[in-house]
Amino acid sequence: MISDGGTCRSSASSDLFELQFEVFGKVQRVFFRKYTKIKADELSLKGWCVNTPDGTVKGVVCGSTKALLDFKQWVSKEGSPKSQIDRVLFSSEEPVVAPRWSSFAVDKSYGHAPRRRAP
């Protein structure tokens, strides 16, 4: 398993892991999903991401230990140029034999959370 601290804690022989993530902050209406796909493709990660009604971006990535560590660093600190990342929740870090997806996709089925209006 890959911890948030960036160390590998699995005795599994597979170097492929699947990781769920949720990003909090200003991550909608700032091309966050687009840049997440670009980064995932750059790292040869498979999976998907989607906007949520709560204003977060959720997703799943699958790839090598090194690629996931690089992704975790990027999604926690960088994101898209106009995003403001408050925190990232990583969960369900599991070794896998093979990815469930053939590429990384942006799920546009939800869209984005409604804009918050100033009082």
Side-chain angles (χ1 to χ4, degrees), residues 33-92:
R33 293 175 300 165
K34 174 185 174 180
Y35 280 86
T36 300
K37 177 173 175 33
I38 291 168
K39 189 63 172 180
D41 289 346
E42 175 187 308
L43 296 171
S44 299
L45 295 171
K46 314 299 184 210
W48 54 270
C49 66
V50 65
N51 283 344
T52 71
D54 296 327
T56 66
V57 171
K58 282 187 176 184
V60 178
V61 288
C62 181
S64 71
T65 301
K66 178 169 180 1
L68 288 179
L69 291 174
D70 290 348
F71 178 81
K72 289 172 85 171
Q73 177 69 24
W74 178 87
V75 80
S76 298
K77 304 291 183 199
E78 194 171 332
S80 68
K82 294 184 179 184
S83 65
Q84 294 176 346
I85 301 163
D86 293 339
R87 67 184 172 101
V88 182
L89 175 63
F90 298 105
S91 61
S92 298

Side-chain angles (χ1 to χ4, degrees), residues 106-118:
V106 173
D107 182 342
K108 296 182 180 180
S109 62
Y110 176 72
H112 49 77
R115 287 190 175 157
R116 297 196 174 136
R117 299 182 191 264

